[in-house]
Amino acid sequence: MLATAWSAVKDDDRTDRTLTALAEAFVSRGHRLYLVGGSVRDALLGRLTPDSGAVPEFDLDFTTDARPDVVTAILDEVAETVWDTGIEFGTVSAMFHGLIVEITTFRADAYDGASRNPEVTFGDTLDGDLVRRDFRCNAIALELSADGDHELRDPLNGLEDLAAGVLDTPAAPEQSFHDDPLRMLRACRFASQLGFSVADRVRTAMTDMADQIGRITAERVAAELNKLMLGAEPWTGLDMMVETGLADHVLPELPALKLTQDEHRQHKDVYAHSLQVLRNATELEGRLGDEVPDEARLVLRWAALMHDIGKPDTREFTDSGAVTFHHHEVVGARMTRRRLKALKYPKRQIQDIGQLVFLHMRFHGYGDGAWTDSAVRRYVADAGDLLPQLQVIVRADCTTRNKRKAARLARAVEDLDTRIVELREQEDLDAVRPDLDGNEIMTILDLPPGPAVGKAWAFLKELRLDRGPMDRDEAIAELKRWWGNQ
């Protein structure tokens, strides 16, 4: 395995030329250079390929025995651009052969236990640098040679963990997580991205120390959650968060779903249903298009996860013993916005995810084409640009084991899609607006700018949703008739 493990990158001529040229620059100055981190791990797993999506831009991280001032001097000679914004932490970045590289001097940091910010001290050995990293599978280094004969260094047996698909820490997990509690959430992220499990001692430490995640800022937590949510199996990472208690501190609405029995009775609880809907939505992402931006995928996946988050707060039982969750979508949208705001998500993402949660039950009023064209217009208008994600969530939300019911729901979704297409062919559904604009309203009704114009515009929009497009004369007549009754 050691002889062939680097073939995934070695076969990429551009990357190999970059590694060799960079190594030559350091070796010629009497220093050693090592490629470290996720790129080494992913190459060993066969994930660092042009079509893997693992590292789209092939950004590379290195460590070296050279001190930061020496690293800067070397890069100034050979790189296109050099920036030293991280130099106080021993990191110098550069654009080299069109790739972004980050080179960090060996570290031997000490932590104060109050934050995740270490007291930076530089080390003298590769082993000392690797032992301070988060997991052993990320503590494998590739020593670079000027002749291209690079050699793997694995003093902590990270290759064994890669082969076993296990996450374990170089040092005792209690010490590792005390130094940086974010590593616990990172374990959940790697479970999502790589499908790895965690060693028993790591799981125990995560469970015992879950409350330490409170030392991490909301922004850093959100960044890890996003990486987790965009992984191949986000439901795996989320389940690990819940089982270890991390979710109680960063996403408490998720474990709260375990308290609620699903009204369909096909799952043990709404928690399992929500993870299944997330899984379904992830598998249906292809319906959004060939190349879906990460932001659109994040919105879809978060909405799928949170769609039933309002059920615990709306649970009621009927006289017959049945359970109901009336208006859980309204409560859930509010809870979703509140949680994402606490995590300091961008305002647009908060609005979009909350709106999808709010709208996810709207489809269930549709059946056998019973909606009028007006109702279809309103559905499309309310969803706006989120319509593709909403239709994916509607499909993903069908987790019933009743094949007849599942087939009926699938037919209804397809029928609604067909009706939306038909209406789009007849009128511009994506830009539903009144047939008269504000200036025309003021001219026709002889009004100055003010609230009355907005009220008239809102009336015309409602009329447009109900009737569809009208010609100008008809719109003017309806506007005057409405104004005369005010």
Side-chain angles (χ1 to χ4, degrees), residues 449-472:
V453 179
K455 189 175 180 182
W457 189 92
F459 161 75
L460 287 174
K461 181 176 181 180
E462 288 298 309
L463 195 64
R464 170 70 170 79
L465 288 169
D466 283 337
R467 295 191 186 179
M470 294 180 291
D471 61 39
R472 179 177 174 79

Side-chain angles (χ1 to χ4, degrees), residues 36 77 122 230 238:
V36 291
E77 293 179 0
F122 299 128
L230 288 172
L238 290 164

Side-chain angles (χ1 to χ4, degrees), residues 193-245:
Q193 291 179 326
L194 307 176
F196 279 21
S197 60
V198 294
D200 289 343
R201 68 173 190 156
V202 171
R203 181 178 291 273
T204 297
M206 289 171 66
T207 303
D208 293 343
M209 302 177 66
D211 62 337
Q212 293 296 304
I213 197 68
R215 289 163 46 196
I216 306 301
T217 65
E219 292 88 347
R220 296 303 302 269
V221 168
E224 283 300 320
L225 287 176
N226 280 346
K227 293 174 184 177
L228 184 157
M229 291 295 285
L230 288 172
E233 300 179 11
W235 51 90
T236 300
L238 290 164
D239 193 50
M240 185 179 293
M241 284 175 55
V242 171
E243 292 302 314
T244 58

